[in-house]
Amino acid sequence: MATLLVDQSPRTAPALGMLVAQTKAELLKLWRVPAFSIFSMAFPVVLYAFFGLPNGGAVSNGVNVGAIILASLATYGVVSVMLFSFGIGLANERAQRMHVLMRATPLPGWVYLSSRVITALAFALAVQLVLFVFGAVAGGVHLSASHWALLVVTLLLGSLPFVALGFGIGYSVSPNVAPAVVNLLFLPLSFASGLFVPLDSMPTVIQNIAPYLPTYQLGRLAWSIVGVNEPNLDAAIRALAIYAAIFVLFGLRAYGREETKDFG
């Protein structure tokens, strides 16, 4: 259960200070459950060990295959955090009636939710760093410092639509149903976007569907940074922006229904 700030008032504590303090509390909550954090950070590394290391020396169209796989799994990792950690986490806290308890504290709701988003972004950053260090040391993936930084920033910004999707799921379904819903959405999206298997190896129908998937568009941005020739990246950015708007509306609608049900 998240630590709540019940001893501060909006009149005496600036909103920014409350946000910083609540974010620290959220990070501390993750720190106290290391098994979940370690598994979430280790899983993309394990996948890279199985699929990236054996192909580290291969080259496809002049691009190191290990780097392509690293970009794919980094995309998978950040989206996973937003849906599993953030989305399912919200569903669990909803079941614990945390949003009701929040009403009895001076902490504004937007501060609590913002702290959850910041925590998810920080966790996604940690997932990337662990994977990138492993890829560079064990897999021999060599990128310039500017390309590593661009990859990190691109994936963090590109994960924001999935934050909104996770928010909508967290406020739409029960904690018992949320993992099934997330898996039902995320795994097909990952496979159909070419994050696990190269898209040109997939059936034609999947190749035709992929351009309409948000995970594919985020993957395209990541692949372009490691050297893959991905034309018309502006379209990828526009697609992610459209998905962000759709998912935000979905999340707000789900949140509004929950607020109406609980508080009238």
Side-chain angles (χ1 to χ4, degrees), residues 89-99 170 174-176 258:
L90 278 180
N92 288 331
E93 294 191 357
R94 231 180 77 238
Q96 296 169 349
R97 310 300 288 170
M98 284 290 298
H99 61 300
S174 71
N176 293 329
E258 187 73 14

Side-chain angles (χ1 to χ4, degrees), residues 168-264:
I169 293 173
Y171 273 93
S172 296
V173 298
S174 71
N176 293 329
V177 176
V181 171
V182 169
N183 278 299
L184 186 62
L185 286 173
F186 184 43
L187 290 179
L189 281 175
S190 298
F191 276 102
S193 298
L195 299 184
F196 293 147
V197 180
L199 201 59
D200 54 13
S201 301
M202 303 289 281
T204 303
V205 63
I206 300 298
Q207 296 182 39
N208 293 334
I209 292 173
Y212 300 98
L213 304 179
T215 38
Y216 172 73
Q217 298 299 344
L218 182 56
R220 287 184 63 214
L221 296 177
W223 296 324
S224 70
I225 294 171
V226 299
V228 177
N229 182 22
E230 290 287 345
N232 197 14
L233 289 177
D234 289 345
I237 296 173
R238 287 195 299 270
L240 286 171
I242 292 171
Y243 269 110
I246 293 172
F247 293 154
V248 165
L249 290 176
F250 166 59
L252 291 176
R253 185 176 179 84
Y255 179 75
R257 284 199 306 267
E258 187 73 14
E259 287 288 292
T260 300
K261 182 183 74 173
D262 289 329
F263 306 111

Side-chain angles (χ1 to χ4, degrees), residues 78-79 153-162 214 218 221 240:
V78 297
V79 176
V153 173
T154 298
L155 288 176
L156 288 180
L157 292 177
S159 70
L160 292 177
F162 301 98
L218 182 56
L221 296 177
L240 286 171

Side-chain angles (χ1 to χ4, degrees), residues 48-60 63-69 139 141:
Y48 186 78
F50 278 108
F51 300 107
L53 294 185
N55 296 286
V59 175
S60 175
V63 182
N64 180 272
V65 174
I68 298 174
I69 296 174
V141 176

Side-chain angles (χ1 to χ4, degrees), residues 27-184:
L27 291 171
L28 180 61
K29 181 179 67 175
L30 281 178
W31 180 260
R32 288 173 174 171
V33 189
F36 172 79
S37 301
I38 291 172
F39 176 80
S40 299
M41 287 188 285
F43 190 60
V45 172
V46 171
L47 290 177
Y48 186 78
F50 278 108
F51 300 107
L53 294 185
N55 296 286
V59 175
S60 175
N61 296 322
V63 182
N64 180 272
V65 174
I68 298 174
I69 296 174
L70 190 71
S72 297
L73 293 179
T75 304
Y76 167 84
V78 297
V79 176
S80 175
V81 169
M82 302 313 168
L83 297 184
F84 283 93
S85 177
F86 182 69
I88 296 177
L90 278 180
N92 288 331
E93 294 191 357
R94 231 180 77 238
Q96 296 169 349
R97 310 300 288 170
M98 284 290 298
H99 61 300
V100 177
L101 181 59
M102 298 296 291
R103 287 295 186 99
T105 74
L107 187 69
W110 71 265
V111 171
Y112 172 66
L113 291 175
S114 297
S115 70
R116 292 299 308 272
V117 172
I118 294 171
T119 302
L121 288 171
F123 192 40
L125 174 61
V127 168
Q128 287 189 74
L129 293 179
V130 170
L131 178 62
F132 292 162
V133 169
F134 183 79
V137 174
V141 176
H142 300 294
L143 298 176
S144 67
S146 61
H147 280 76
W148 284 119
L150 181 60
L151 187 56
V152 168
V153 173
T154 298
L155 288 176
L156 288 180
L157 292 177
S159 70
L160 292 177
F162 301 98
V163 173
L165 178 59
F167 180 80
I169 293 173
Y171 273 93
S172 296
V173 298
S174 71
N176 293 329
V177 176
V181 171
V182 169
N183 278 299
L184 186 62

Side-chain angles (χ1 to χ4, degrees), residues 1-34:
M1 182 176 293
T3 304
L4 299 179
L5 304 179
V6 296
D7 58 341
Q8 296 193 45
S9 166
R11 288 177 289 210
T12 59
L16 180 59
M18 298 179 75
L19 178 59
V20 170
Q22 187 63 24
T23 301
K24 289 180 178 178
E26 293 294 332
L27 291 171
L28 180 61
K29 181 179 67 175
L30 281 178
W31 180 260
R32 288 173 174 171
V33 189

